[in-house]
Amino acid sequence: MALRIDVVSIFPEYLDPFRHALLGKAIEQQILSVGVHDLRQWASDNHKSVDDSPYGGGPGMVMKAEVWGAALDDVAAHTGPAADKHLVSATPHLSRPRHDALQGIEQVGYPEHSQADERPLLLVPTPAGTPFTQADAQAWSNEQHIVFACGRYEGIDQRVFEDAARRYRVREVSIGDYVLIGGEVAALVIAEAVVRLIPGVLGNRQSHEEDSFSDGLLEGPSYSKPRQWRGLAVPEVLLSGNHQLVAQWRRQASLQRTLERRPDLLDSADLSAEDVAFLQTYQQQRSKEQ
Ligand code: SAM
């Protein structure tokens, strides 16, 4: 079943990247269908205003509940200005089969979480949300309808989400500890991470199970031809043809990189006794060198 994504924004043109590259190709393959909606269609005054000053004072403007409420009603029901909106891909994409398809590897998605609740998932990008993770991307790659509410200014009147919880499952999510100008880029970030995990978009599940975060660790470095480039050589073991040694080197490179850059991830990673021994030896070596 295809995933339907609806995005509501006051800058619909900002969402044009949905039509390109793998997202555009997923639209062509009918794995994905996308509707982008201009919030101002639901504004009722002559100036099509979508924001007002905040209660309690303070700087900036807050996006109005009446406008967002009407937009989210229509988007959930595919009615009014939200009916029959479908982005088309920017350019025809190559329909060459991917390596996995050529090798006859079965496409397998992530396990569906038992979801008795059929309400669409409303994702609200906000720096005050819970952090978006790869585990969220895996879970949401099974959704049938995701709606993004892209805020601007100081954000959206909070009552919009309390009210939306009657017809959506609502999640306020942050893509990182920094503040963007609007939610559009965050919506694209989340959509890319989710859509690439749908079977048939990127290839087989195996091909992204080695990505950073999928096993709780960062992925190690990658190399391609030529063997020597500007005096720099590819690690010898990768040329050995010995799959076991290559796998061991990759695991250790991944552990090493995670320890150096994101040691916090090691606390919850699934580590074997061999992994732990490698990390201890590596740490001892490092402390001797310092
Ligand atoms: N006043 C808000 C706060 O301090 O939490 C910041 C509003 S920000 C200027 C405007 C919009 O950008 C937000 O409504 C949200 O849609 C988006 N945004 C900014 N930073 C974000 C982040 N780290 N993750 C997700 N969305 C973000």
Side-chain angles (χ1 to χ4, degrees):
M1 175 139 349
L3 168 63
R4 169 72 184 183
I5 293 182
D6 284 289
V7 190
V8 184
S9 159
I10 56 167
F11 292 112
E13 58 279 19
Y14 234 92
L15 284 313
D16 202 54
F18 266 108
R19 303 171 56 230
H20 296 265
L22 278 183
L23 293 178
K25 189 174 176 184
I27 291 174
E28 268 170 34
Q29 292 170 302
Q30 299 182 347
I31 293 173
L32 175 68
S33 135
V34 182
V36 174
H37 312 278
D38 185 347
L39 178 70
R40 290 191 199 279
Q41 294 172 107
W42 287 275
S44 49
D45 65 348
N46 287 343
H47 297 103
K48 298 277 172 206
S49 59
V50 293
D51 59 323
D52 210 331
S53 53
Y55 274 125
M61 299 294 268
V62 175
M63 296 187 102
K64 286 154 76 98
E66 297 108 309
V67 185
W68 270 105
L72 293 178
D73 286 346
D74 272 341
V75 170
H78 303 289
T79 52
D84 286 332
K85 283 272 185 72
H86 300 281
L87 284 190
V88 287
S89 77
T91 48
H93 294 83
L94 293 177
S95 57
R96 262 195 321 227
R98 298 184 52 86
H99 303 298
D100 289 339
L102 290 171
Q103 288 169 15
I105 298 174
E106 197 192 343
Q107 292 173 351
V108 187
Y110 286 89
E112 281 183 40
H113 39 141
S114 52
Q115 181 67 39
D117 189 340
E118 289 184 353
R119 290 174 299 173
L121 177 66
L122 177 64
L123 295 181
V124 185
T126 162
T130 52
F132 171 62
T133 64
Q134 186 68 11
D136 292 326
Q138 287 174 359
W140 298 343
S141 66
N142 281 309
E143 291 288 339
Q144 288 172 20
H145 189 190
I146 297 177
V147 177
F148 287 99
C150 300
R152 287 260 154 181
Y153 319 122
E154 290 310 312
I156 303 171
D157 187 316
Q158 189 63 33
R159 291 169 296 176
V160 170
F161 311 118
E162 288 166 31
D163 171 69
R166 298 175 203 181
R167 54 215 186 289
Y168 290 93
R169 286 167 290 133
V170 182
R171 278 280 309 269
E172 295 183 55
V173 274
S174 164
I175 63 158
D177 291 346
Y178 39 77
V179 180
L180 303 167
I181 307 172
E184 291 75 10
V185 172
L188 277 163
V189 166
I190 296 170
E192 276 213 8
V194 170
V195 171
R196 71 189 281 282
L197 299 180
I198 301 174
V201 173
L202 193 68
N204 185 263
R205 175 172 156 182
Q206 278 171 347
S207 58
H208 39 76
E209 287 210 319
E210 286 170 19
D211 287 335
S212 294
F213 308 113
S214 292
D215 63 356
L217 300 174
L218 302 182
E219 192 180 60
S222 309
Y223 301 90
S224 183
K225 295 182 190 69
R227 287 163 88 136
Q228 287 281 346
W229 179 76
R230 297 188 176 179
L232 300 168
V234 170
E236 206 53 42
V237 61
L238 297 180
L239 312 170
S240 68
N242 183 326
H243 297 307
Q244 209 179 332
L245 277 183
V246 170
Q248 186 189 41
W249 181 88
R250 289 208 168 121
R251 181 72 184 175
Q252 291 179 351
S254 161
L255 289 164
Q256 191 176 322
R257 184 174 267 187
T258 309
L259 179 69
E260 284 163 359
R261 300 182 183 178
R262 292 291 306 277
D264 57 301
L265 294 177
L266 292 172
D267 294 337
S268 48
D270 192 8
L271 302 179
S272 66
E274 206 182 325
D275 293 335
V276 174
F278 170 79
L279 285 168
Q280 276 168 352
T281 315
Y282 178 70
Q283 259 173 322
Q284 280 161 5
Q285 266 172 9
R286 268 211 323 180
S287 48
K288 267 191 219 151
E289 283 163 15
Q290 279 162 6

